[in-house]
Amino acid sequence: MPARQDHSPAPVLLVIEDDDTIGRHLEAGLRAQGYSTTWCRTGTGGLSAARAATPDVVLLDLGLPDADGIDIARELRSRYPDLLLVIVTARTDEIDVIAGLDAGADDYLVKPFTLSVLLARLRAHLRRLPAAQDDRKATYRIGSLVLDARARRCTLGHVEVPLRPKEFDLLSVLAEQAGTAVSREDLMARVWDENWFGPTKTLDVTLASLRRRLQAAAREAGPSVEPPSVSTLRGYGYRLETDPG
């Protein structure tokens, strides 16, 4: 049974997987662990199931018979910004990993994998959700940027920046230590999990998406508004600059 310290119901989990053997194995194994699990064989069916009962977690295969899993990932992320989205696929090329993460996935698990590894990944991610909401309660101001960690809102000038959960958490850690170098290891531990063992590309893709969103908000806010820049410290990590640019 998933650990739920607040005694709330187990997360609602949706599996979108066309392989019968894998799908049945995941559905049975996850239900045995207490997850409320639905299994769909197609992307269209998965989107319909998500509309019927908004899931907390989606396990998404990329090789679906009726749609590209990357497109399904984008659609799910657009509709459900707080969703925990994990791609499970046989594709191992780095370009596929990057495409999946850039489409909005929080994690990427390559087949074959054991149920115990999947459960460990889910526990790691789900542990971070209450911490992200409760631990950071300050308001940070860096130039025209205002980040309200309690309300989980970020504005640049008069424009609200639509950040995904991990993008917000990453910006919160950087803002908390604005002007200071933050190592990759520290960012992975704070934003993902202290025992993170997923691809470190996750950090790079999330940071790149964060930069794009800040730049887009700055363009909308007007020429007088500049977002704070995030400098890459090669071989170490990142630093949120206290001056715009």
Side-chain angles (χ1 to χ4, degrees), residues 21-57:
T21 300
I22 295 174
R24 292 183 190 281
H25 176 67
L26 288 175
E27 183 180 40
L30 290 164
R31 284 183 176 175
Q33 292 296 316
Y35 289 92
S36 175
T37 307
T38 300
W39 168 38
C40 297
R41 294 173 174 82
T42 66
T44 302
L47 292 176
S48 296
R51 284 193 294 269
T54 304
D56 301 298
V57 183

Side-chain angles (χ1 to χ4, degrees), residues 43 48 69 81 91 94-95 116-117 119 124 126 151 180 203 212 218 226 245:
S48 296
R91 301 180 190 177
E94 183 175 286
I95 190 172
S116 61
V117 167
L119 291 170
L126 293 171
T180 302
L203 171 58
R212 288 195 298 270
E226 288 286 342

Side-chain angles (χ1 to χ4, degrees), residues 1 4 6-12 34 56:
M1 191 81 173
R4 307 291 288 175
D6 58 0
H7 304 293
S8 59
V12 176
D56 301 298

Side-chain angles (χ1 to χ4, degrees), residues 16-18 41-43 60-69 72:
I16 306 177
E17 166 64 64
D18 70 321
R41 294 173 174 82
T42 66
L60 173 65
D61 182 27
L62 293 185
L64 299 171
D66 64 330
D68 188 326
I72 300 298

Side-chain angles (χ1 to χ4, degrees), residues 96-124:
D96 292 317
V97 176
I98 293 173
L101 295 171
D102 207 25
D106 296 291
D107 200 356
Y108 194 104
L109 200 55
V110 176
K111 302 173 184 175
F113 55 85
T114 64
L115 183 62
S116 61
V117 167
L118 172 61
L119 291 170
R121 292 278 184 99
L122 294 180
R123 287 194 298 269

